[in-house]
């Protein structure tokens, strides 16, 4: 009977040890998911900051371009309407979306704005007074730099989402991630034609420079 009691105690001790190990492993996995989720949100905030920077440049750009004689009003209207459409998409700027359809709606609105801006810059090439306008040149350079930062921020965001999604789908975290509120997060999809962005040639001051519009 005494041996039986010792055996039960040994088994109980082993079970307790296993539970402790599992608890430590679970806590480590939880902390990792929290860290990765926060990383996704941080990258999302960077995406938002860069898109907002682009949106802030547009009013000055439109005002500068509209000063050109006989500039195509439909092009300006398209840009202002596209910018307004982006503002109508309600999305949390601090927390990355978990609804793929919401991210797709946001991406579509931003893509339409990218297209409208690209067309505006192409049309601007036909107006010599804009080519000699220092304010326009500055805004064009800022816009180009912002588009590049947007592309980098989106790539960093996708990388963060990939690391997060891979973790919550891996064993053993897949067993309890959902119960703890960790949901899969969607990616930015590649924009059709993004692999070969159109080159817009600007001949400012007699020098040639090419702008690739990233969407």
């Amino acid at each position: 009977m005494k041996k039986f009691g010792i055996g039960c105690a040994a088994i109980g001790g082993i079970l307790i040890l296993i539970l402790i190990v599992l608890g430590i492993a679970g806590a480590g996995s939880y902390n990792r998911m929290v860290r990765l989720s926060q990383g996704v949100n941080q990258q999302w905030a960077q995406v938002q900051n860069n898109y907002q920077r682009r949106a802030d440049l547009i009013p000055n750009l439109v005002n500068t371009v509209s000063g050109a004689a006989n500039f195509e009003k439909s092009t300006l209207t398209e840009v202002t309407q596209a910018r307004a459409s982006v503002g109508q998409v309600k999305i949390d700027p601090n927390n990355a979306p978990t609804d793929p359809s919401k991210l797709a709606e946001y991406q579509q609105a931003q893509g339409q704005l990218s297209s409208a801006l690209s067309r505006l810059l192409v049309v601007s090439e036909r107006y010599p007074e804009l080519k000699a306008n220092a304010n326009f040149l500055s805004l064009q350079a800022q816009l180009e730099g912002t588009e590049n930062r947007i592309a980098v921020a989106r790539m960093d965001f996708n990388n963060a989402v990939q690391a997060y999604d891979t973790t919550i789908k891996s064993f053993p975290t897949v067993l309890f991630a959902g119960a703890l509120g960790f949901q899969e997060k969607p990616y930015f999809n590649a924009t059709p034609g993004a692999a070969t962005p159109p080159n817009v040639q600007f001949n400012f001051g007699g020098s040639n420079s090419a702008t690739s519009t990233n969407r």
Side-chain angles (χ1 to χ4, degrees):
M1 188 70 178
K2 185 176 180 180
K3 291 183 179 180
F4 178 76
I6 294 174
C8 289
I11 294 173
I14 292 173
L15 290 176
I16 292 173
L17 181 61
I18 291 174
L19 290 175
I20 291 174
V21 171
L22 290 176
I24 293 174
S29 296
Y30 175 82
N31 290 337
R32 175 172 169 76
M33 288 188 293
V34 170
R35 185 172 65 255
L36 290 173
S37 180
Q38 290 176 340
V40 171
N41 289 337
Q42 289 171 356
Q43 294 301 331
W44 174 250
Q46 288 301 313
V47 171
Q48 292 291 293
N49 288 340
N50 285 300
Y51 272 132
Q52 185 59 51
R53 174 181 170 81
R54 182 175 72 172
D56 291 342
L57 290 172
I58 291 175
N60 285 337
L61 179 65
V62 170
N63 288 337
T64 300
V65 172
S66 63
N70 300 318
F71 192 88
E72 297 181 15
K73 302 302 181 184
S74 60
T75 304
L76 295 174
T77 300
E78 184 180 7
V79 170
T80 54
Q81 289 179 343
R83 182 176 184 269
S85 295
V86 168
Q88 292 173 1
V89 179
K90 302 304 180 183
I91 199 161
D92 191 337
N94 299 313
N95 296 298
T98 56
D99 184 356
S101 64
K102 197 67 177 178
L103 181 59
E105 179 186 7
Y106 178 77
Q107 182 176 356
Q108 181 181 18
Q110 292 288 1
Q112 289 173 347
L113 179 54
S114 293
S115 298
L117 285 169
S118 178
R119 283 189 287 274
L120 183 147
L121 294 177
V122 170
V123 172
S124 298
E125 174 68 8
R126 302 202 296 263
Y127 295 82
E129 60 266 45
L130 288 175
K131 299 178 186 180
N133 187 308
N135 190 40
F136 177 78
L137 291 175
S138 175
L139 289 168
Q140 185 269 327
Q142 292 180 63
L143 185 60
E144 177 184 358
T146 301
E147 290 286 0
N148 290 335
R149 282 191 287 272
I150 288 171
V152 172
R154 282 176 46 149
M155 180 179 64
D156 290 343
F157 171 78
N158 278 356
N159 289 338
V161 171
Q162 182 181 27
Y164 168 83
D165 285 351
T166 298
T167 295
I168 68 171
K169 292 178 182 178
S170 300
F171 185 84
T173 51
V174 68
L175 300 176
F176 52 81
L180 295 176
F182 293 95
Q183 304 177 37
E184 183 177 358
K185 299 181 187 294
Y187 298 76
F188 276 110
N189 294 320
T191 303
T196 54
N199 288 325
V200 181
Q201 297 294 331
F202 293 94
N203 299 315
F204 297 137
S207 61
N208 292 330
S209 62
T211 298
S212 294
T213 303
N214 297 307
R215 302 181 183 177

